[in-house]
Amino acid sequence: MSRFKSDFLQIMEERGFIHQISDEKELDNLFAKEKVTGYIGFDPTAPSLHAGGLIQIMALHWMQQTGHRPVALMGGGTGMIGDPSFKDEARKLITEEIIRQNIAGIKQVFSRYIRFGDSNDDALIVDNADWLCKLNYLEFLRNIGRHFSVNRMLSFDSVKLRLDREHSLSFLEFNYMILQAYDFVELNKHHAVRLQMGGSDQWGNIINGIELGRRMGTPQLYALTSPLLTMTSGTKMGKSFNGAVWLNADMLTPYEFWQYWRNTEDADVVRFLKLYTILPMDEITRLRELKGSEINEVKKILATEITAMLHGRHIAEIAAKTACKTFEEGKFDDNLPTIDVSIFEIKTGIGLLALLVRAGLVKSNSEARRHIRGGGVRVNNRLVDDQSKIIDSADINDTGLIKLSFGKKKHVLIRIAKS
């Protein structure tokens, strides 16, 4: 039996989204009796979010599905500083132009999960640069800065850990939590936002916003944080062999995205079904009872459902079929990740080591040599044991492609470009 009466918090609890809540009884009452507007902030440090941030997007999804209004806040202003939370070093400063480009890339994803429009029921995307970039410094210090205690700010884990490790914390970064707190007040003022959600590492920053709101006379504000996820093995969520698992299709193909979730560790499958899909809980309960080899079928369902939400059902099914052909039938499929190599390079020959690096399957020639020695590299499904092998026209298969394989799960097609 859930300890909550509101639909939203019931779903958050049963699906594993809740780490901490401020005044949970009062927040539950608020959700039960009226439409609540809540927000999550997203830092524009890259042109795409990655899978590690998907839990926050899904929280916004469920908020709207239960009759409330989600707000996605783009950090166009705070992105000029960078969140220092639990980082040993300051983030590299990025230009306003790059921030704008990153925000444009990040916005592509949200419409897959939440509905936007002009009515009061529709979600909002707002940018904190709209108010932060207009601030008068002296007025801000007098009106906002006076509400913050440096002693208290130094006690927050996000700051304290940096100082305990004797790593520098710049005055620029120290201002981040003040600006984030001010965001909460501004969003309440203009959009009646009552709740801020985020990862558990944001708890101190969110509480700062609640306290600032209290001092400035806003209605009661609330916090809800979600756990920071890692794989059971300890691997950071959203990281793969080749780097970040980006959500934008131009940075990671739908097939590669599908394959990332297909490779989920057994112990994580049910947890990810709850967090990252909209499958009903009774169906997830049924799937969790499957054991042995059947768990692989559940992983395929997980991968397909998550990919369908992001890229569409048709594309997700194509990705699943591509994997089936590649792994179960041993066939080629042109929906695999592909790179172009010029016909001139193929005619003159290109070293396998260099091609493995170029395809992103390894990071260096020495790594490629090591895996060839270990029997981990194939060309057109044939094992290669020659580290000096040259790839040329003789390796082109009947479909006009060359398939490189690294281990059992990493495959790239080499497409021959005419020029």
Side-chain angles (χ1 to χ4, degrees):
M1 177 70 74
S2 174
R3 69 182 189 271
F4 300 110
K5 58 186 178 183
S6 64
D7 291 343
F8 175 66
L9 290 182
Q10 283 183 26
I11 288 175
M12 290 291 98
E13 181 182 42
E14 68 182 358
R15 288 185 173 265
F17 282 89
I18 296 176
H19 180 72
Q20 288 175 288
I21 302 179
S22 66
D23 300 312
E24 68 173 46
K25 185 176 180 180
E26 290 303 314
L27 182 60
D28 190 30
N29 288 334
L30 186 68
F31 270 107
K33 70 182 182 182
E34 63 183 78
K35 178 182 291 185
V36 177
T37 302
Y39 90 98
I40 296 176
F42 297 89
D43 279 332
T45 53
S48 170
L49 298 175
H50 62 69
L54 195 53
I55 185 173
Q56 305 304 335
I57 301 176
M58 289 300 296
L60 294 179
H61 167 83
W62 286 116
M63 191 171 192
Q64 187 170 56
Q65 291 300 307
T66 52
H68 304 281
R69 193 180 201 191
V71 175
L73 177 67
M74 299 292 104
T78 45
M80 297 176 68
I81 295 176
D83 184 358
S85 297
F86 301 97
K87 303 289 189 299
D88 285 340
E89 297 179 350
R91 295 181 186 269
K92 292 182 179 180
L93 295 181
I94 52 181
T95 66
E96 291 182 55
E97 176 59 27
I98 291 176
I99 288 173
R100 284 194 294 269
Q101 292 173 5
N102 288 349
I103 288 175
I106 289 170
K107 284 182 176 180
Q108 296 175 26
V109 167
F110 286 97
S111 61
R112 291 288 186 180
Y113 297 88
I114 48 181
R115 184 186 69 256
F116 296 95
D118 299 324
S119 77
N120 291 333
D121 294 328
D122 292 324
L124 295 174
I125 288 185
V126 295
D127 187 343
N128 64 14
D130 293 344
W131 54 85
L132 294 182
C133 291
K134 298 175 183 177
L135 288 175
N136 176 293
Y137 186 57
L138 289 178
E139 287 183 4
F140 186 73
L141 287 179
R142 283 174 59 87
N143 298 332
I144 307 301
R146 66 189 178 92
H147 295 301
F148 287 84
S149 162
V150 171
N151 306 63
R152 187 163 182 266
M153 292 166 70
L154 289 172
S155 71
F156 288 138
D157 286 343
S158 57
V159 172
K160 192 171 182 293
L161 288 175
R162 174 86 73 88
L163 299 179
D164 287 347
R165 295 169 183 168
E166 298 184 355
H167 292 148
S168 173
L169 179 73
S170 71
F171 178 71
L172 178 72
E173 295 174 283
F174 197 55
N175 278 268
Y176 185 94
M177 67 175 70
I178 300 178
L179 296 177
Q180 183 173 329
Y182 183 64
D183 283 344
F184 205 169
V185 173
E186 280 291 299
L187 287 168
N188 175 265
K189 179 180 177 181
H190 295 289
H191 302 291
V193 169
R194 301 290 301 276
L195 170 69
Q196 182 181 355
M197 298 183 288
S200 59
D201 59 337
Q202 293 298 313
W203 180 255
N205 289 341
I206 300 174
I207 295 301
N208 257 341
I210 293 174
E211 180 65 16
L212 178 62
R214 185 185 65 80
R215 291 173 179 269
M216 295 184 70
T218 68
Q220 178 64 52
L221 304 178
Y222 300 92
L224 188 159
T225 61
S226 298
L228 294 180
L229 295 184
T230 58
M231 305 293 200
T232 298
S233 63
T235 305
K236 189 174 181 180
M237 188 67 203
K239 297 291 185 181
S240 72
F241 172 82
N242 288 326
V245 182
W246 302 110
L247 302 185
N248 288 19
D250 59 346
M251 296 182 67
L252 188 78
T253 67
Y255 169 80
E256 291 171 299
F257 184 78
W258 187 96
Q259 193 61 45
Y260 171 77
W261 298 103
R262 167 61 181 82
N263 293 337
T264 295
E265 297 168 37
D266 291 3
D268 293 325
V269 173
V270 172
R271 181 168 56 137
F272 291 171
L273 282 169
K274 292 179 181 179
L275 290 170
Y276 300 119
T277 79
I278 57 174
L279 288 177
M281 286 300 298
D282 56 355
E283 174 65 6
I284 293 174
T285 300
R286 185 188 70 80
L287 292 173
R288 79 181 300 165
E289 298 302 318
L290 300 179
K291 306 295 181 184
S293 61
E294 291 178 318
I295 193 69
N296 289 325
E297 296 305 312
V298 181
K299 291 180 182 181
K300 293 176 188 177
I301 293 171
L302 172 71
T304 300
E305 292 301 316
I306 298 177
T307 305
M309 285 199 74
L310 178 60
H311 296 294
R313 179 68 56 181
H314 177 65
I315 291 176
E317 290 174 353
I318 289 175
K321 289 177 182 176
T322 296
C324 179
K325 288 181 180 179
T326 302
F327 298 110
E328 297 175 15
E329 301 173 14
K331 296 179 180 179
F332 288 71
D333 192 296
D334 57 11
N335 287 302
L336 285 171
T338 304
I339 64 167
D340 289 336
V341 174
S342 71
I343 187 66
F344 174 78
E345 289 179 284
I346 292 298
K347 285 182 176 179
T348 56
I350 180 172
L352 176 59
L353 300 181
L355 198 54
L356 287 167
V357 174
R358 188 162 157 185
L361 293 171
V362 296
K363 295 181 179 179
S364 65
N365 285 357
S366 60
E367 184 182 355
R369 289 191 186 95
R370 185 169 68 252
H371 288 289
I372 289 173
R373 289 196 300 269
V377 175
R378 295 175 181 269
V379 175
N380 294 332
N381 297 329
R382 293 191 296 273
L383 187 66
V384 176
D385 57 10
D386 181 5
Q387 299 173 37
S388 61
K389 177 174 174 57
I390 300 298
I391 301 296
D392 56 25
S393 301
D395 293 297
I396 299 174
N397 64 34
D398 294 340
T399 64
L401 301 166
I402 301 170
K403 180 182 176 186
L404 292 184
S405 300
F406 176 86
K408 295 181 179 180
K409 298 179 180 179
K410 304 290 182 181
H411 306 273
V412 172
L413 294 181
I414 308 302
R415 184 169 52 200
I416 314 305
K418 300 302 181 184
S419 58

